[in-house]
Amino acid sequence: MDKLITNRNIDYYCGNGIAFDYVAEFLVQKYGITSSTKIAICSDREVSGYYYNRFEEQFIKMGIKPYLAVVDSRTNFKGLSQADSLIKSLVDFDYGCNDWLISFGGGGVLDICGSVVSLFSCGINLMVVPTTLNSMISGALSNKSYLNCGSHKNEISTEFNPSSVIIDPTFLKTVSPKVKSSGYATVIRIALLSDLSLMSGLDGNIELRVFLNALYSAWARIESNNPLLLTIGDELANSIESYFRFMKYSEGEALALSLLTVVDHQKLAPIKSIYSALNLPTKLEGCAAKMIIKNLSESFEHKGLSSVTMVDFVDGEYKVVEYDIDKALSVFEKRLSVIMD
């Protein structure tokens, strides 16, 4: 087991099997939990179906019986209703300030748990056990939790402040291709902003601990420059997801498509080959460009914006810029031409 280096004041640990062999012991030794401490483990059906019995066993051996709360963390369901359901479960079991919620799943589960913990008046301790590459990177490093509202993505945000993050490579073996795409897109985003060689880590030949430390270090450098840089691609990606009501393209596929539109044209061909190797889409299909632009325009109007702060490739580098609405829409229209015939 290794301690990962981040720019967060949070304990991050990585090691094969530690999710099943160390979590309960860690909570006992570091935080002094006892058999009277209430432990809720929040997960989705897929992760809990694969792993919950094995994960729970370590607590049972210590005389602690955790409570399993299952939520639907799919993007089109990740809203207030799921947070409300989890809150009611915790209230029914009389959870309080000294009790623990363990977020055991991908980014959607992390968002729901982070939102719920921030809403409790007395606070509940939060541990994160991410099970996808995306949740091990952006999910674990983010200082915000996000919930959707209808077809509007990330409309609601709260603080995300876990006490500790336990990362176990074991989980990556059972991640579906659709879910993997989100992790790929996150790495591509960091690589574009920092060092394109980071994409080589996606071939699986680099030890996860080493790969994550490199990504965390790059994330910290980008964030110290300007945190808004890490939103590159979000506007177009969110519009693609929203237009298809989260049904056609996964979060990762939409972001990957959006990121492809901001690549330096001289590097577009080799990056497209990386996309092909990772089975990421390089063409946006099933809609007209004008419909995505209309969706973006309505989103800006909904938010009452007169200008858009965004990341653009200017003078050979990525910069945070502010464009009026017409200029922003023209930029997005040009970007769409890269991924649409």
Side-chain angles (χ1 to χ4, degrees), residues 275-305:
Y275 272 50
S276 295
L278 297 173
N279 292 315
L280 291 173
T282 58
K283 289 293 182 182
L284 177 62
E285 300 174 341
C287 67
K290 64 180 181 181
M291 299 308 297
I292 300 297
I293 294 300
K294 181 175 182 289
N295 191 285
L296 276 167
S297 179
E298 290 174 349
S299 174
F300 297 152
E301 183 179 352
H302 169 74
K303 295 174 182 177
L305 300 178

Short mmCIF file of all heavy atoms in Angstrom, two decimals, residues 275-305:
data_model
loop_
_atom_site.label_atom_id
_atom_site.label_comp_id
_atom_site.label_asym_id
_atom_site.label_seq_id
_atom_site.Cartn_x
_atom_site.Cartn_y
_atom_site.Cartn_z
N TYR A 275 -7.58 7.56 -30.00
CA TYR A 275 -9.02 7.36 -29.82
C TYR A 275 -9.46 6.02 -30.39
O TYR A 275 -10.24 5.28 -29.77
CB TYR A 275 -9.79 8.49 -30.51
CG TYR A 275 -10.03 9.73 -29.68
CD1 TYR A 275 -8.99 10.35 -28.99
CD2 TYR A 275 -11.30 10.29 -29.56
CE1 TYR A 275 -9.19 11.49 -28.25
CE2 TYR A 275 -11.52 11.44 -28.82
CZ TYR A 275 -10.47 12.03 -28.16
OH TYR A 275 -10.68 13.16 -27.41
N SER A 276 -8.97 5.70 -31.58
CA SER A 276 -9.36 4.44 -32.22
C SER A 276 -8.91 3.25 -31.39
O SER A 276 -9.66 2.28 -31.23
CB SER A 276 -8.75 4.37 -33.63
OG SER A 276 -9.28 5.38 -34.45
N ALA A 277 -7.70 3.32 -30.84
CA ALA A 277 -7.19 2.24 -30.02
C ALA A 277 -8.01 2.06 -28.75
O ALA A 277 -8.14 0.94 -28.23
CB ALA A 277 -5.73 2.50 -29.67
N LEU A 278 -8.58 3.16 -28.26
CA LEU A 278 -9.38 3.12 -27.03
C LEU A 278 -10.87 2.95 -27.30
O LEU A 278 -11.68 2.96 -26.38
CB LEU A 278 -9.17 4.42 -26.24
CG LEU A 278 -7.75 4.69 -25.73
CD1 LEU A 278 -7.66 6.09 -25.12
CD2 LEU A 278 -7.34 3.65 -24.70
N ASN A 279 -11.23 2.80 -28.57
CA ASN A 279 -12.64 2.67 -28.98
C ASN A 279 -13.48 3.88 -28.59
O ASN A 279 -14.65 3.75 -28.23
CB ASN A 279 -13.26 1.39 -28.41
CG ASN A 279 -12.67 0.14 -29.03
OD1 ASN A 279 -12.51 0.06 -30.24
ND2 ASN A 279 -12.34 -0.83 -28.20
N LEU A 280 -12.86 5.06 -28.66
CA LEU A 280 -13.58 6.31 -28.42
C LEU A 280 -14.10 6.85 -29.75
O LEU A 280 -13.43 6.72 -30.78
CB LEU A 280 -12.66 7.34 -27.76
CG LEU A 280 -12.23 7.07 -26.32
CD1 LEU A 280 -11.18 8.09 -25.88
CD2 LEU A 280 -13.41 7.09 -25.37
N PRO A 281 -15.26 7.48 -29.76
CA PRO A 281 -15.80 8.02 -31.01
C PRO A 281 -15.00 9.22 -31.49
O PRO A 281 -14.47 9.99 -30.69
CB PRO A 281 -17.23 8.42 -30.63
CG PRO A 281 -17.16 8.71 -29.16
CD PRO A 281 -16.15 7.73 -28.61
N THR A 282 -14.92 9.37 -32.79
CA THR A 282 -14.27 10.55 -33.37
C THR A 282 -15.27 11.37 -34.21
O THR A 282 -14.91 12.42 -34.71
CB THR A 282 -13.09 10.15 -34.26
OG1 THR A 282 -13.54 9.27 -35.30
CG2 THR A 282 -12.00 9.46 -33.44
N LYS A 283 -16.49 10.86 -34.34
CA LYS A 283 -17.53 11.57 -35.08
C LYS A 283 -18.80 11.65 -34.24
O LYS A 283 -19.19 10.68 -33.59
CB LYS A 283 -17.85 10.87 -36.40
CG LYS A 283 -16.74 10.98 -37.45
CD LYS A 283 -16.59 12.42 -37.93
CE LYS A 283 -15.53 12.52 -39.01
NZ LYS A 283 -15.34 13.94 -39.45
N LEU A 284 -19.44 12.80 -34.24
CA LEU A 284 -20.72 12.99 -33.58
C LEU A 284 -21.81 12.66 -34.58
O LEU A 284 -21.89 13.28 -35.65
CB LEU A 284 -20.86 14.43 -33.09
CG LEU A 284 -22.18 14.81 -32.43
CD1 LEU A 284 -22.42 13.98 -31.17
CD2 LEU A 284 -22.21 16.30 -32.08
N GLU A 285 -22.64 11.69 -34.23
CA GLU A 285 -23.66 11.23 -35.16
C GLU A 285 -25.05 11.34 -34.54
O GLU A 285 -25.21 11.38 -33.33
CB GLU A 285 -23.39 9.77 -35.54
CG GLU A 285 -22.03 9.56 -36.21
CD GLU A 285 -21.72 8.11 -36.46
OE1 GLU A 285 -22.35 7.24 -35.82
OE2 GLU A 285 -20.85 7.82 -37.31
N GLY A 286 -26.05 11.41 -35.41
CA GLY A 286 -27.43 11.38 -34.95
C GLY A 286 -28.05 12.74 -34.71
O GLY A 286 -29.16 12.82 -34.16
N CYS A 287 -27.37 13.81 -35.13
CA CYS A 287 -27.95 15.15 -34.95
C CYS A 287 -27.29 16.10 -35.93
O CYS A 287 -26.26 15.79 -36.54
CB CYS A 287 -27.78 15.64 -33.52
SG CYS A 287 -26.07 15.94 -33.06
N ALA A 288 -27.87 17.28 -36.06
CA ALA A 288 -27.30 18.34 -36.88
C ALA A 288 -26.56 19.32 -35.98
O ALA A 288 -26.94 19.52 -34.82
CB ALA A 288 -28.40 19.05 -37.66
N ALA A 289 -25.51 19.93 -36.50
CA ALA A 289 -24.71 20.88 -35.72
C ALA A 289 -25.58 22.01 -35.17
O ALA A 289 -25.40 22.46 -34.04
CB ALA A 289 -23.59 21.45 -36.58
N LYS A 290 -26.55 22.45 -35.98
CA LYS A 290 -27.38 23.57 -35.55
C LYS A 290 -28.20 23.23 -34.30
O LYS A 290 -28.53 24.12 -33.52
CB LYS A 290 -28.30 24.03 -36.68
CG LYS A 290 -29.32 22.99 -37.13
CD LYS A 290 -30.17 23.55 -38.26
CE LYS A 290 -31.23 22.53 -38.71
NZ LYS A 290 -32.04 23.07 -39.84
N MET A 291 -28.51 21.94 -34.10
CA MET A 291 -29.28 21.54 -32.93
C MET A 291 -28.42 21.62 -31.67
O MET A 291 -28.91 21.99 -30.60
CB MET A 291 -29.84 20.14 -33.11
CG MET A 291 -30.79 20.00 -34.30
SD MET A 291 -32.11 21.25 -34.28
CE MET A 291 -32.97 20.83 -32.77
N ILE A 292 -27.14 21.25 -31.77
CA ILE A 292 -26.24 21.37 -30.63
C ILE A 292 -26.00 22.84 -30.30
O ILE A 292 -25.99 23.23 -29.13
CB ILE A 292 -24.90 20.66 -30.92
CG1 ILE A 292 -25.13 19.17 -31.20
CG2 ILE A 292 -23.94 20.84 -29.75
CD1 ILE A 292 -25.70 18.40 -30.04
N ILE A 293 -25.84 23.66 -31.34
CA ILE A 293 -25.66 25.10 -31.12
C ILE A 293 -26.90 25.69 -30.47
O ILE A 293 -26.81 26.53 -29.55
CB ILE A 293 -25.36 25.81 -32.46
CG1 ILE A 293 -24.01 25.35 -33.02
CG2 ILE A 293 -25.36 27.33 -32.27
CD1 ILE A 293 -22.82 25.64 -32.11
N LYS A 294 -28.08 25.27 -30.93
CA LYS A 294 -29.34 25.73 -30.33
C LYS A 294 -29.39 25.33 -28.86
O LYS A 294 -29.79 26.13 -28.00
CB LYS A 294 -30.52 25.15 -31.08
CG LYS A 294 -31.90 25.57 -30.57
CD LYS A 294 -33.00 25.02 -31.47
CE LYS A 294 -34.38 25.47 -31.01
NZ LYS A 294 -34.79 24.80 -29.75
N ASN A 295 -28.97 24.12 -28.56
CA ASN A 295 -28.96 23.63 -27.18
C ASN A 295 -28.01 24.47 -26.33
O ASN A 295 -28.34 24.84 -25.19
CB ASN A 295 -28.54 22.16 -27.17
CG ASN A 295 -28.73 21.49 -25.82
OD1 ASN A 295 -27.97 21.73 -24.90
ND2 ASN A 295 -29.75 20.66 -25.72
N LEU A 296 -26.83 24.79 -26.87
CA LEU A 296 -25.87 25.64 -26.15
C LEU A 296 -26.45 27.03 -25.91
O LEU A 296 -26.34 27.58 -24.81
CB LEU A 296 -24.57 25.75 -26.96
CG LEU A 296 -23.54 24.64 -26.81
CD1 LEU A 296 -22.49 24.75 -27.90
CD2 LEU A 296 -22.89 24.71 -25.43
N SER A 297 -27.04 27.59 -26.95
CA SER A 297 -27.60 28.94 -26.84
C SER A 297 -28.68 29.00 -25.77
O SER A 297 -28.73 29.94 -24.95
CB SER A 297 -28.18 29.36 -28.20
OG SER A 297 -28.76 30.64 -28.12
N GLU A 298 -29.55 27.99 -25.74
CA GLU A 298 -30.61 27.94 -24.73
C GLU A 298 -30.02 27.77 -23.32
O GLU A 298 -30.55 28.33 -22.36
CB GLU A 298 -31.57 26.80 -25.05
CG GLU A 298 -32.42 27.06 -26.28
CD GLU A 298 -33.26 25.86 -26.67
OE1 GLU A 298 -33.04 24.76 -26.11
OE2 GLU A 298 -34.15 26.02 -27.54
N SER A 299 -28.93 27.03 -23.22
CA SER A 299 -28.27 26.85 -21.93
C SER A 299 -27.72 28.18 -21.42
O SER A 299 -27.87 28.52 -20.25
CB SER A 299 -27.14 25.83 -22.06
OG SER A 299 -26.39 25.74 -20.87
N PHE A 300 -27.08 28.94 -22.30
CA PHE A 300 -26.53 30.24 -21.90
C PHE A 300 -27.66 31.19 -21.50
O PHE A 300 -27.54 31.95 -20.53
CB PHE A 300 -25.73 30.85 -23.06
CG PHE A 300 -24.52 30.06 -23.47
CD1 PHE A 300 -24.04 30.12 -24.78
CD2 PHE A 300 -23.86 29.24 -22.56
CE1 PHE A 300 -22.93 29.40 -25.16
CE2 PHE A 300 -22.74 28.51 -22.94
CZ PHE A 300 -22.28 28.58 -24.24
N GLU A 301 -28.76 31.14 -22.26
CA GLU A 301 -29.91 31.99 -21.95
C GLU A 301 -30.52 31.59 -20.61
O GLU A 301 -30.88 32.45 -19.79
CB GLU A 301 -30.94 31.88 -23.06
CG GLU A 301 -32.15 32.79 -22.86
CD GLU A 301 -33.14 32.67 -24.01
OE1 GLU A 301 -32.83 32.00 -25.01
OE2 GLU A 301 -34.24 33.26 -23.89
N HIS A 302 -30.63 30.29 -20.38
CA HIS A 302 -31.17 29.76 -19.11
C HIS A 302 -30.37 30.28 -17.92
O HIS A 302 -30.93 30.57 -16.86
CB HIS A 302 -31.16 28.24 -19.17
CG HIS A 302 -31.43 27.56 -17.85
ND1 HIS A 302 -32.69 27.51 -17.29
CD2 HIS A 302 -30.60 26.90 -16.99
CE1 HIS A 302 -32.63 26.86 -16.13
NE2 HIS A 302 -31.38 26.48 -15.94
N LYS A 303 -29.05 30.39 -18.11
CA LYS A 303 -28.18 30.86 -17.03
C LYS A 303 -28.06 32.38 -16.97
O LYS A 303 -27.37 32.92 -16.11
CB LYS A 303 -26.79 30.24 -17.19
CG LYS A 303 -26.80 28.72 -17.03
CD LYS A 303 -25.43 28.13 -17.33
CE LYS A 303 -25.46 26.61 -17.21
NZ LYS A 303 -24.17 25.98 -17.57
N GLY A 304 -28.72 33.07 -17.89
CA GLY A 304 -28.71 34.53 -17.90
C GLY A 304 -27.36 35.12 -18.26
O GLY A 304 -27.00 36.21 -17.78
N LEU A 305 -26.62 34.44 -19.10
CA LEU A 305 -25.26 34.89 -19.43
C LEU A 305 -25.28 35.91 -20.57
O LEU A 305 -26.03 35.77 -21.54
CB LEU A 305 -24.39 33.70 -19.84
CG LEU A 305 -24.19 32.59 -18.80
CD1 LEU A 305 -23.34 31.48 -19.38
CD2 LEU A 305 -23.55 33.14 -17.53
#
